[in-house]
C-alpha cells in the first residue's frame, strides 16, 4: 500500500504545481537569508579570532554559507521543474532527472537538519576555544613592542569595554600574569625587585587590572591597583564592598553572545528545514501524480500521487534486499577476477618427444 496516496485531477495538479513554484522561490529567499547569516557569523568570529584558539568555530558559518548556496541552486532548479510541469511537452524532458533530484533533496535536507543541530551543539567547542584563546591573549597583553602581538593590548581592552567583562573567568585572572611591560618598570626600585623575586618565574605580578576593566557606572573612582589591599584605600573592603570592576569574565560574555546568536540561527535553520521538507513532499506528489496519468493524451483525467510506492516497512525491506544483492554481485565479480588470475598464472606443460 502506497504511503500518503492522494487523488488528483487536472485542476489540483495545476494548483499544486503553482503552489510549489511559489514555495520554491520563497525557499530561494530563505537560502539567501541562510547565506547572509553564515556570512555575518563568520565576520563576527573573524573580528575576535585573536582570542580564539583554533578555527573549529568556523565550521558552523562555513556550513551555513554552503547550505545557503545549495538552497538557492536546488530550489531555483525545482521552481523551473514546477513551472514546466504545467506543459506536458516541457515536463517530459525533466522526467528522467526527477528521481535522482529527489534523492539529492533527501541528502540536502539531512544536511540542513545536521547544520541546525550543530548551531545548538557548538557551545561546548566554542567554550574551550575561547578559554584557551583568551588565556593566550592576556599573556601577550604586555607585548606592545613585539611584532605580531603589538595589537593584542588594544584587542583585549576593546573587548573588555565592549562586552563589559574582565579577564578570562574574572578580574582575578589578571593577578596571575604579568600584564605590565618591562619597559614601564623601574628595575632600580626596591618594590619592583621584591615583586620579581617573590615568584619562581621572575614575573612582575600585582593585584591590579587594566583600565578597561573599570565600570564607568560606579560612583566611586576606579580602584584599578591594589584591589585586594584594604588599607590602600579609604573605607574599603574588597571582600564585602561592591567592586567597581566588571565581575563577569570575557569567556562567559563572548560565549553567551555567540551562543545566543547561533541558537537564533539554529531556530531559523529548523524552520527552513521544515519548509524544505514540505517542498520536497509536494514535489514528490507532483512527480508521481503526473507519472501515473493513465492516458497522457487526456491531461484532464484523474491520477494518484504518493510519497512512497509501498509502505514504509516494505520500502525498507526492499532497500535491504537491493543492498544484499549488490554485495553478492560484488563478491561474484571479485571471485571471477580471482579465478581468471589463477588461470592466467598457470604454466602450460610442454611435452618433448625424443
Amino acid at each position: 500500500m502506497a504511503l500518503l496516496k492522494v487523488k488528483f485531477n487536472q485542476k489540483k495538479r495545476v494548483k499544486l504545481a503553482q503552489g510549489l513554484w511559489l514555495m520554491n522561490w520563497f525557499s530561494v529567499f530563505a537560502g539567501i537569508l541562510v547565506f547572509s547569516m553564515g556570512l555575518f557569523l563568520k565576520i563576527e568570529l573573524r573580528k575576535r579570532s585573536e582570542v580564539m584558539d583554533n578555527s573549529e568555530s568556523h565550521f558552523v558559518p562555513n556550513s551555513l554559507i554552503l547550505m545557503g548556496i545549495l538552497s538557492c541552486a536546488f530550489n531555483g532548479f525545482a521552481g523551473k521543474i514546477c513551472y514546466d510541469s504545467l506543459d506536458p511537452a516541457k515536463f517530459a524532458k525533466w522526467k528522467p532527472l526527477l528521481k535522482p533530484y529527489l534523492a539529492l533533496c533527501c541528502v540536502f535536507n539531512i544536511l540542513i537538519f545536521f547544520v541546525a543541530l550543530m548551531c545548538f551543539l557548538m557551545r561546548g567547542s566554542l567554550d574551550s576555544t575561547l578559554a584557551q584563546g583568551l588565556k593566550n591573549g592576556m599573556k601577550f597583553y604586555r607585548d606592545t613592542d613585539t611584532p605580531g602581538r603589538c595589537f593584542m593590548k588594544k584587542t583585549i581592552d576593546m573587548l573588555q569595554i565592549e562586552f563589559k567583562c574582565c579577564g578570562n573567568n574574572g578580574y582575578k585572572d589578571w593577578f596571575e600574569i604579568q600584564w605590565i611591560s618591562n619597559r614601564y618598570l623601574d628595575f632600580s626600585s626596591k618594590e619592583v625587585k621584591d615583586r620579581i623575586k617573590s615568584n619562581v618565574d621572575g614575573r612582575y605580578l600585582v593585584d591590579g587590572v587594566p583600565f578597561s576593566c573599570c565600570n564607568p557606572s560606579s560612583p566611586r573612582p576606579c580602584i584599578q591597583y591594589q584591589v585586594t589591599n584594604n588599607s590602600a584605600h579609604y573605607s574599603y573592603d574588597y571582600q564585602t564592598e561592591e567592586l567597581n570592576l566588571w565581575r563577569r569574565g570575557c569567556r562567559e560574555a563572548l560565549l553567551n553572545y555567540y551562543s545566543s546568536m547561533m541558537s537564533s540561527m539554529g531556530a531559523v535553520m529548523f524552520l527552513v528545514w521544515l519548509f524544505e521538507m514540505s517542498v520536497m513532499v509536494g514535489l514528490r506528489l507532483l512527480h508521481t501524480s503526473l507519472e501515473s496519468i493513465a492516458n497522457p493524451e487526456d491531461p484532464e483525467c484523474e491520477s494518484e500521487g504518493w510519497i512512497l510506492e509501498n509502505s514504509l516497512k516494505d520500502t525498507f525491506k526492499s532497500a535491504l534486499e537491493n543492498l544484499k544483492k549488490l554485495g553478492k554481485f560484488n563478491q561474484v565479480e571479485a571471485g571471477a577476477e580471482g579465478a581468471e588470475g589463477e588461470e592466467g598464472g598457470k604454466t602450460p606443460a610442454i611435452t618433448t618427444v625424443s
Side-chain angles (χ1 to χ4, degrees), residues 234-271:
Y234 177 73
S235 183
Y236 176 73
D237 185 355
Y238 83 95
Q239 292 181 330
T240 58
E241 185 173 340
E242 183 72 21
L243 290 176
N244 51 7
L245 305 176
W246 300 119
R247 290 184 171 274
R248 186 171 62 162
C250 290
R251 180 186 60 82
E252 181 188 352
L254 281 172
L255 187 61
N256 291 339
Y257 174 71
Y258 285 119
S259 294
S260 62
M261 188 186 298
M262 285 195 288
S263 295
S264 301
M265 291 180 180
V268 172
M269 285 299 292
F270 270 120
L271 291 175

Side-chain angles (χ1 to χ4, degrees), residues 316-332:
F316 183 69
K317 283 182 179 179
S318 177
L320 283 179
E321 287 175 4
N322 289 334
L323 287 173
K324 287 178 182 178
K325 286 178 182 178
L326 185 63
K328 287 179 181 178
F329 180 72
N330 290 335
Q331 288 177 2
V332 170

Side-chain angles (χ1 to χ4, degrees), residues 81-241:
I81 293 174
C82 294
Y83 182 79
D84 287 349
S85 66
L86 298 172
D87 185 352
K90 290 183 179 179
F91 181 72
K93 65 181 179 181
W94 298 116
K95 275 189 177 182
L97 299 175
L98 272 172
K99 281 188 178 180
Y101 175 75
L102 286 168
L104 286 174
C105 282
C106 288
V107 176
F108 175 63
N109 283 318
I110 291 170
L111 289 175
I112 289 180
F113 185 79
F114 175 73
V115 172
L117 281 179
M118 289 305 297
C119 288
F120 293 101
L121 300 177
M122 278 296 290
R123 183 182 174 90
S125 174
L126 192 61
D127 190 8
S128 58
T129 296
L130 286 169
Q132 191 60 41
L134 283 166
K135 186 178 180 182
N136 294 335
M138 289 170 65
K139 286 180 182 177
F140 302 144
Y141 183 87
R142 64 174 181 166
D143 297 335
T144 51
D145 298 326
T146 306
R149 298 178 186 172
C150 55
F151 61 86
M152 191 55 73
K153 179 184 181 298
K154 179 182 177 181
T155 299
I156 296 292
D157 283 334
M158 294 302 294
L159 178 69
Q160 293 187 147
I161 292 171
E162 181 182 354
F163 286 90
K164 300 178 180 180
C165 59
C166 184
N168 190 345
N169 297 307
Y171 69 92
K172 289 186 179 179
D173 292 336
W174 289 107
F175 300 172
E176 301 171 3
I177 61 171
Q178 180 181 338
W179 55 272
I180 301 175
S181 177
N182 287 337
R183 68 181 294 186
Y184 302 114
L185 295 176
D186 181 8
F187 287 95
S188 62
S189 169
K190 183 178 181 303
E191 181 188 351
V192 173
K193 290 180 180 179
D194 290 343
R195 283 193 177 275
I196 291 174
K197 290 178 181 178
S198 63
N199 63 83
V200 179
D201 298 329
R203 296 175 297 171
Y204 182 74
L205 303 180
V206 293
D207 56 343
V209 296
F211 78 96
S212 52
C213 283
C214 295
N215 182 359
S217 300
S218 174
R220 182 168 188 156
C222 183
I223 298 176
Q224 182 183 351
Y225 296 103
Q226 296 183 335
V227 175
T228 59
N229 186 359
N230 292 336
S231 60
H233 312 282
Y234 177 73
S235 183
Y236 176 73
D237 185 355
Y238 83 95
Q239 292 181 330
T240 58
E241 185 173 340

Side-chain angles (χ1 to χ4, degrees), residues 1-151:
M1 183 181 176
L3 180 66
L4 196 61
K5 185 182 286 188
V6 183
K7 285 189 176 183
F8 289 92
N9 54 29
Q10 173 67 3
K11 188 176 180 181
K12 285 184 178 180
R13 285 194 295 268
V14 169
K15 282 186 176 180
L16 178 61
Q18 290 174 341
L20 285 172
W21 178 83
L22 189 61
M23 289 176 71
N24 275 294
W25 284 111
F26 274 125
S27 295
V28 169
F29 290 122
I32 295 172
L33 174 63
V34 171
F35 177 84
S36 302
M37 289 192 308
L39 196 62
F40 174 74
L41 182 57
K42 193 171 183 67
I43 291 170
E44 286 296 305
L45 289 171
R46 286 277 186 190
K47 282 181 183 178
R48 298 165 188 95
S49 58
E50 296 89 354
V51 293
M52 292 185 178
D53 186 47
N54 54 47
S55 59
E56 289 179 7
S57 54
H58 289 273
F59 175 77
V60 170
N62 290 340
S63 300
L64 289 171
I65 290 171
L66 178 61
M67 289 298 103
I69 294 171
L70 290 177
S71 179
C72 292
F74 271 84
N75 290 291
F77 182 70
K80 174 64 175 171
I81 293 174
C82 294
Y83 182 79
D84 287 349
S85 66
L86 298 172
D87 185 352
K90 290 183 179 179
F91 181 72
K93 65 181 179 181
W94 298 116
K95 275 189 177 182
L97 299 175
L98 272 172
K99 281 188 178 180
Y101 175 75
L102 286 168
L104 286 174
C105 282
C106 288
V107 176
F108 175 63
N109 283 318
I110 291 170
L111 289 175
I112 289 180
F113 185 79
F114 175 73
V115 172
L117 281 179
M118 289 305 297
C119 288
F120 293 101
L121 300 177
M122 278 296 290
R123 183 182 174 90
S125 174
L126 192 61
D127 190 8
S128 58
T129 296
L130 286 169
Q132 191 60 41
L134 283 166
K135 186 178 180 182
N136 294 335
M138 289 170 65
K139 286 180 182 177
F140 302 144
Y141 183 87
R142 64 174 181 166
D143 297 335
T144 51
D145 298 326
T146 306
R149 298 178 186 172
C150 55
F151 61 86

